Amino acid sequence: MERAGIPATTIQRLPLYLRCLLQAEEQRIPLVNSGTLAEMCGTNAAQIRKDLSYLGELGTRGIGYEVRALIEHISAVLGITERRRAVLVGFGRFGGALLGYPGFAERGFDIVAVFDSDPDKIGVSVGGLTVLSVDELEGVLQATGAEIAIMTTPGDVTQELADRLVRAGVRGILNLAPVRLVVPEGVAVRQVCLSTDLQVLSFHLAQNTL
Amino acid sequence: MERAGIPATTIQRLPLYLRCLLQAEEQRIPLVNSGTLAEMCGTNAAQIRKDLSYLGELGTRGIGYEVRALIEHISAVLGITERRRAVLVGFGRFGGALLGYPGFAERGFDIVAVFDSDPDKIGVSVGGLTVLSVDELEGVLQATGAEIAIMTTPGDVTQELADRLVRAGVRGILNLAPVRLVVPEGVAVRQVCLSTDLQVLSFHLAQNTL
DNA sequence: TGATGTGAAGAGGTTCACAGCT
DNA sequence: AGCTGTGAACCTCTTCACATCA
């Protein structure tokens, strides 16, 4: 499968396409063309065709794209045909909220362990899981084979924990802590920072008040 | 002030620069050059200089940038010299977690109202605020003059609520609901979707297992 | 005929390399 | 001498326009 050479921006749009296609499938729509899919996604037809062309020749000229087949293809490229295991590090406000979020499981991601360093939280059981001590990080990661970590830890310990996670086999980190992580080659990091987003919004507000 | 013509990517990096500069100031560092700032931010010196040059000639050749002055400038461009008011729409798992998050206030964003449609939640008081009915949206927005909305609502009602928010004067939306919002010209939207981020991470995992 | 797939043109950002100040 | 500010080269992504094929 020709996966290399797909632009990063295309990859970031695939989950959106997937969501729209699943929606179409629910409505029993068997076929879409680039125009209608673009409308569903809020993009343009050329973008859709170009993006999908990177995954192979998935459409039929004069007809369009078969919804089910396209879902399969995109899922395969995103590597979510099998379920993926993730651990949650940090059981605070955000950590707790994320654990209860059904969206992860719906999209094929299973949270298989939760860690914290606060003795008051360790042992708490929630959603079928028990909060574990971060001391057990390495052992549990080995046992579960989880490859993804979602971090909602205080800023000052995040890099250190990330290092341990990587050493223990994690190769993808979704970081909600307001810290720029440094990770070795081959490990992917997605940084989420709501404060940053608010500041970008603020810029736009300031712009429009000239 | 020459704000137009600043690349969108530059704007998105300014909050990061700001964070690093505040950190430098805390360490009583009065002056930085593009090299050291780049290291703190995990970028390169050329990027820093180019970005800052869009804001004006803020440095001194042969010397570098004065930390305090740079903080002021970036804050001004981001429009966060005055505090900004935001409302939270949706008091569920995420909404509750966000309300307790001190990071917003620290960066100049005050959450001035919380809305929900669930009768069981309306009236609950939390962090000095009382959860209000979404029926009161328009009135409260007018009264508070909030320009930003943070949405953590169920997907199916989000667009509709966003329309009402925009009509009531909101011009920046931070959307945590897994829905692509359609908004009129002049309204800025930042979409946050953790599931999307996980799927992008999954792609990278799949890549490295070839 | 109708929609895809794609080379080519265009736009937007990043990196380079050096002129220009202090 | 040292570091900024910036034109120019380079690269990446988006949009266009059309050849291509069912």
Side-chain angles (χ1 to χ4, degrees):
Chain A
M1 194 174 293
E2 182 58 82
R3 285 167 176 173
I6 306 181
T9 47
T10 295
I11 299 299
Q12 293 184 27
R13 280 188 293 268
L14 292 183
L16 171 62
Y17 297 166
L18 196 53
R19 198 166 66 206
C20 292
L21 287 165
L22 288 167
Q23 205 174 306
E25 192 182 48
E26 232 169 62
Q27 292 167 35
R28 300 281 189 283
I29 301 172
L31 224 63
V32 293
N33 61 39
S34 58
T36 61
L37 188 51
E39 193 169 4
M40 296 179 81
C41 296
T43 353
N44 64 73
Q47 180 85 83
I48 298 267
R49 288 203 303 277
K50 183 62 97 176
D51 281 343
L52 294 182
S53 76
Y54 289 118
L55 315 187
E57 304 206 0
L58 307 179
T60 312
R61 290 163 202 244
I63 308 291
Y65 302 91
E66 211 187 311
V67 170
R68 178 99 291 266
L70 201 45
I71 289 171
E72 301 288 353
H73 259 279
I74 293 178
S75 298
V77 170
L78 289 177
I80 52 177
T81 42
E82 306 284 318
R83 300 192 70 78
R84 291 206 174 261
R85 291 178 294 282
V87 297
L88 180 66
V89 186
F91 185 62
R93 257 186 307 282
F94 287 114
L98 291 180
L99 251 194
Y101 178 55
F104 293 149
E106 280 166 17
R107 288 176 183 80
F109 296 94
D110 292 317
I111 296 185
V112 296
V114 193
F115 299 96
D116 204 295
S117 61
D118 181 347
D120 287 350
K121 290 175 186 161
I122 296 168
V124 171
S125 88
V126 52
L129 293 172
T130 303
V131 179
L132 304 172
S133 162
V134 286
D135 297 341
E136 305 183 54
L137 211 83
E138 286 78 5
V140 174
L141 276 173
Q142 185 139 42
T144 58
E147 298 171 301
I148 296 178
I150 305 173
M151 304 193 70
T152 64
T153 45
D156 52 341
V157 298
T158 304
Q159 178 66 58
E160 184 192 346
L161 284 168
D163 293 342
R164 285 176 60 188
L165 288 163
V166 169
R167 250 180 280 129
V170 162
R171 283 180 304 127
I173 298 177
L174 180 57
N175 183 28
L176 303 226
V179 183
R180 214 77 184 167
L181 287 182
V182 181
V183 294
E185 181 85 2
V187 178
V189 175
R190 303 287 296 177
Q191 181 70 41
V192 175
C193 184
L194 300 181
S195 296
T196 294
D197 286 316
L198 283 182
Q199 289 173 63
V200 174
L201 286 177
S202 175
F203 168 80
H204 287 289
L205 297 185
Q207 277 302 83
N208 294 348
T209 346
L210 288 180
Chain B
M1 192 173 295
E2 182 58 82
R3 284 167 178 174
I6 307 182
T9 46
T10 295
I11 298 300
Q12 293 184 27
R13 281 187 292 267
L14 291 184
L16 171 62
Y17 297 165
L18 196 53
R19 198 166 66 206
C20 293
L21 288 165
L22 288 167
Q23 204 175 307
E25 193 182 46
E26 233 169 61
Q27 293 167 34
R28 300 281 190 283
I29 300 171
L31 225 62
V32 293
N33 62 39
S34 58
T36 61
L37 189 51
E39 194 169 2
M40 295 179 81
C41 295
T43 354
N44 64 75
Q47 180 86 83
I48 298 267
R49 290 203 301 278
K50 182 65 98 177
D51 281 342
L52 295 182
S53 76
Y54 289 117
L55 317 187
E57 302 206 2
L58 307 179
T60 312
R61 289 161 203 245
I63 308 290
Y65 302 90
E66 210 188 312
V67 171
R68 178 97 292 264
L70 200 47
I71 290 172
E72 302 288 353
H73 258 280
I74 293 178
S75 298
V77 171
L78 289 177
I80 51 176
T81 44
E82 307 282 319
R83 299 192 71 77
R84 291 205 175 263
R85 292 178 294 283
V87 297
L88 180 66
V89 186
F91 185 62
R93 255 187 311 281
F94 288 115
L98 291 179
L99 251 193
Y101 178 55
F104 293 150
E106 281 165 18
R107 288 177 182 80
F109 296 94
D110 293 317
I111 295 185
V112 296
V114 193
F115 298 96
D116 205 294
S117 62
D118 181 347
D120 288 350
K121 289 175 186 161
I122 295 167
V124 170
S125 87
V126 52
L129 293 172
T130 302
V131 179
L132 304 172
S133 163
V134 286
D135 297 340
E136 305 183 54
L137 211 85
E138 287 78 6
V140 174
L141 277 173
Q142 185 138 42
T144 59
E147 297 170 302
I148 296 177
I150 305 173
M151 305 194 70
T152 63
T153 44
D156 52 340
V157 298
T158 304
Q159 179 66 58
E160 185 193 346
L161 283 169
D163 293 342
R164 286 176 60 188
L165 288 163
V166 170
R167 251 181 278 128
V170 163
R171 282 178 307 125
I173 298 178
L174 180 57
N175 182 28
L176 302 228
V179 183
R180 214 74 183 169
L181 288 182
V182 181
V183 295
E185 181 86 1
V187 178
V189 175
R190 303 287 295 177
Q191 181 71 38
V192 175
C193 184
L194 300 180
S195 296
T196 294
D197 285 317
L198 283 181
Q199 289 173 62
V200 174
L201 286 178
S202 175
F203 168 79
H204 287 290
L205 298 185
Q207 275 304 82
N208 294 349
T209 346
L210 287 181

